[in-house]
Amino acid sequence: MRRWMGLPVAAVMLTACVTINVYFPAAEAKEAAKEFVEKVIGDDTQPATTPAPAPKPGGQSASLGPRIDWLSLVGIGSAYAQSSPDITIKTPAIQAIQARMKGRFDGQLRAHFDSGALGFGNDGSIDVRDAAKIPLAERVGVNQAVADQNRDSAAVYREVAVANGHPEWEPQIRKVFARQWTDSARAGWWYQDAGGGWKQK
């Protein structure tokens, strides 16, 4: 009798342990950052995907009957799902910022990345690397565009964290995006390494 009375208590303890085990989904964040960044810098090419083959009738998967998830009976299954969130960038706020950043990048910034005047900083921002490469008449406009782009970038990192229910993830989101801007930089563009030195792709 005492053994059976202890089962509900054990179930509650197991569920509590799982629900607080929320981790940062780095792989999902990287995929989301890649999708966002590639859209901003203008590469809309999506790799072709091969659909998974359908299971053969009568195969091993078909012969197996329904499985009982015993852990879900005490709430562990649902708790684990809640602790493994996906990273979404499909909110109206994020997509509006993305559209602004893409328009600004194409219209005002891309040419100065090509010239080497601008580069991606190691903190997820854009930096003026060599102001001398920007024509004097354009410098004020370019500096303003860089400031606007950096403000929108910071807003994206915050919005992604908030949209996924974890505002405390903002610093990690920023790091993932910072790495992705560098990874997505085109040949000839400049970026900062971890130590702050400039390198050309």
Side-chain angles (χ1 to χ4, degrees):
M1 182 66 179
R2 292 179 180 177
R3 180 180 301 175
W4 287 105
M5 290 177 63
L7 286 177
V9 176
V12 171
M13 292 177 64
L14 285 171
T15 304
C17 291
V18 173
T19 53
I20 63 174
N21 186 25
V22 179
Y23 71 98
F24 177 68
E28 291 85 350
K30 178 175 174 58
E31 287 301 313
K34 182 177 181 180
E35 179 183 347
F36 185 96
V37 169
E38 291 292 345
K39 183 70 173 179
V40 169
I41 65 177
D43 187 355
D44 295 327
T45 303
Q46 298 294 331
T49 57
T50 303
K56 296 180 180 180
Q60 183 178 4
S61 60
S63 64
L64 295 176
R67 298 176 59 187
I68 298 176
D69 186 354
W70 295 103
L71 293 179
S72 67
L73 297 180
V74 295
I76 292 180
S78 60
Y80 179 79
Q82 292 172 2
S83 69
S84 306
D86 193 8
I87 294 292
T88 180
I89 56 172
K90 299 298 185 182
T91 70
I94 293 173
Q95 290 183 312
I97 297 172
Q98 184 183 49
R100 286 201 307 268
M101 292 180 70
K102 177 174 175 56
R104 191 182 298 121
F105 193 90
D106 289 340
Q108 297 175 273
L109 300 175
R110 183 185 301 276
H112 300 292
F113 271 92
D114 292 340
S115 73
L118 304 180
F120 290 119
N122 58 15
D123 61 350
S125 65
I126 292 175
D127 291 344
V128 177
R129 191 189 70 85
D130 188 350
K133 292 181 178 294
I134 305 174
L136 186 60
E138 299 179 24
R139 288 182 189 175
V140 172
V142 171
N143 285 332
Q144 184 60 55
V146 168
D148 291 342
Q149 197 80 341
N150 287 338
R151 184 187 64 249
D152 277 344
S153 293
V156 164
Y157 309 148
R158 181 173 60 254
E159 287 291 336
V160 170
V162 171
N164 288 278
H166 290 277
E168 72 278 8
W169 284 352
E170 183 179 343
Q172 292 161 287
I173 294 290
R174 175 182 284 273
K175 288 181 180 179
V176 171
F177 269 78
R179 189 175 300 113
Q180 188 59 52
W181 290 114
T182 296
D183 290 346
S184 294
R186 300 327 191 215
W189 291 4
W190 291 81
Y191 66 94
Q192 276 185 333
D193 60 22
W198 286 105
K199 293 185 176 181
Q200 189 175 27
K201 290 196 77 173

